[in-house]
Amino acid sequence: MKWLAFLLAALNLAVWFVPAWIEPSRYVGVSSGTLPRVSSLKVVSDTMESPSREEGCLRITLGMFDARDDAENVAAGLKHRVGIVEVEKELPPLHWVLIPPQPPEAARAQFRELYLQGVESYIVSRGEYRNAISLGLFESLEAAQSVMAEKKQANLNVVLAKFPRNRLGYALVFEVESMAESEWVQAVEAKTGYEFDFVESNACEGVARPEKNP
C-alpha cells in the first residue's frame, strides 16, 4: 500500500508541473521567429532609400548645335558641370522627284540626254532607287508636284518618293533633380539666349547630383 500511495503522489506532481515546464519552451520558439532585431530593420530601411534617390535624378540633353565649338562655348558660360554629346535627330523626309530605276546603260544614256537639254539631274548610285535619275528634292509637297507636272508635260516618266534624312549635331548634357527639369531648361535658355529645339530627359545611370545652378 505504501508503494501504491507513493506512485499516486508522483503522478499527481507530474500532472501539475510537467505542462508548466513544456509551455515556455514552445512559446519561446514562436517569439524568436516573429520579433526581428533592430539591426535587421535598419538594413531594410537603407535598401529602400537608394531607388528613390536614383528615380529623383534626370539626365537632360539640350540641343542642337551644328558645330562642337558652339556647344563648348555655351557650356563654358554655365557654372554647372556640363557634358557634350553628338546627337542624330530624325527630320521629316523630303519629297523626291525622280525617273524610276532602269538598267545602268539606259540610265546613263538618259542622263546624258537630260544634261544636253540643260536639265539638272544626277544618277542615284545606291539604295532602293539605285540607277534612278533624281530631278530634285523638295521640302514642300506642292513644289514637288509642280515639278512633276512640268516633267510629265516633257514626256518624262517621273514618280514621287520619300527621301529620309537625319540631322547630325551636338547637345549639352547635365543631371538635375526630376522635379526641377522645366526650371533648369528655362534657366539654361535664359542664360545662353538659345531656344533649344531638341530636349530629351532620361533617368540618371547613377545618383550624381548637380552642385551649382546655371
Side-chain angles (χ1 to χ4, degrees):
M1 293 297 290
K2 291 181 179 180
W3 286 103
L4 180 60
F6 176 77
L7 291 174
L8 291 174
L11 290 173
N12 189 33
L13 291 173
V15 169
W16 283 98
F17 290 102
V18 170
W21 175 73
I22 294 177
E23 288 299 316
S25 298
R26 182 166 64 87
Y27 285 113
V28 167
V30 174
S31 63
S32 63
T34 58
L35 296 177
R37 294 177 299 173
V38 174
S39 60
S40 65
L41 292 176
K42 183 177 181 180
V43 172
V44 173
S45 177
D46 288 344
T47 57
M48 293 297 291
E49 289 177 2
S50 295
S52 65
R53 288 199 298 267
E54 292 183 2
E55 292 173 358
C57 177
L58 285 179
R59 186 173 187 264
I60 307 298
T61 306
L62 297 179
M64 293 173 56
F65 301 91
D66 293 329
R68 186 181 184 88
D69 290 344
D70 295 337
E72 290 177 347
N73 291 335
V74 171
L78 300 175
K79 296 180 180 180
H80 182 66
R81 185 176 60 186
V82 180
I84 298 175
V85 295
E86 187 176 276
V87 176
E88 182 176 354
K89 180 182 179 182
E90 184 176 355
L91 298 176
L94 297 175
H95 303 285
W96 199 4
V97 179
L98 49 78
I99 297 173
Q102 52 191 315
E105 293 184 358
R108 287 194 293 268
Q110 188 169 21
F111 169 74
R112 287 194 295 268
E113 182 180 346
L114 292 172
Y115 175 77
L116 293 175
Q117 295 175 2
V119 177
E120 294 185 2
S121 62
Y122 67 87
I123 298 176
V124 181
S125 60
R126 58 185 177 181
E128 179 183 359
Y129 296 103
R130 183 179 181 182
N131 292 323
I133 299 177
S134 173
L135 299 176
L137 291 166
F138 305 90
E139 291 187 356
S140 168
L141 176 60
E142 290 76 12
Q145 291 174 337
S146 176
V147 171
M148 280 189 64
E150 177 185 335
K151 300 304 179 184
K152 286 183 177 180
Q153 290 181 354
N155 295 322
L156 292 176
N157 178 26
V158 292
V159 295
L160 189 62
K162 296 291 186 181
F163 184 84
R165 57 176 178 155
N166 294 321
R167 178 188 174 190
L168 296 177
Y170 298 90
L172 308 178
V173 178
F174 49 89
E175 294 181 358
V176 303
E177 297 285 349
S178 60
M179 299 300 294
E181 176 185 1
S182 59
E183 290 81 357
W184 265 88
V185 174
Q186 294 174 6
V188 174
E189 288 183 338
K191 178 73 175 180
T192 62
Y194 279 84
E195 292 186 5
F196 298 101
D197 59 353
F198 179 83
V199 179
E200 183 178 82
S201 61
N202 297 286
C204 296
E205 296 179 359
V207 293
R209 300 298 179 91
E211 298 178 356
K212 299 180 180 179
N213 292 331

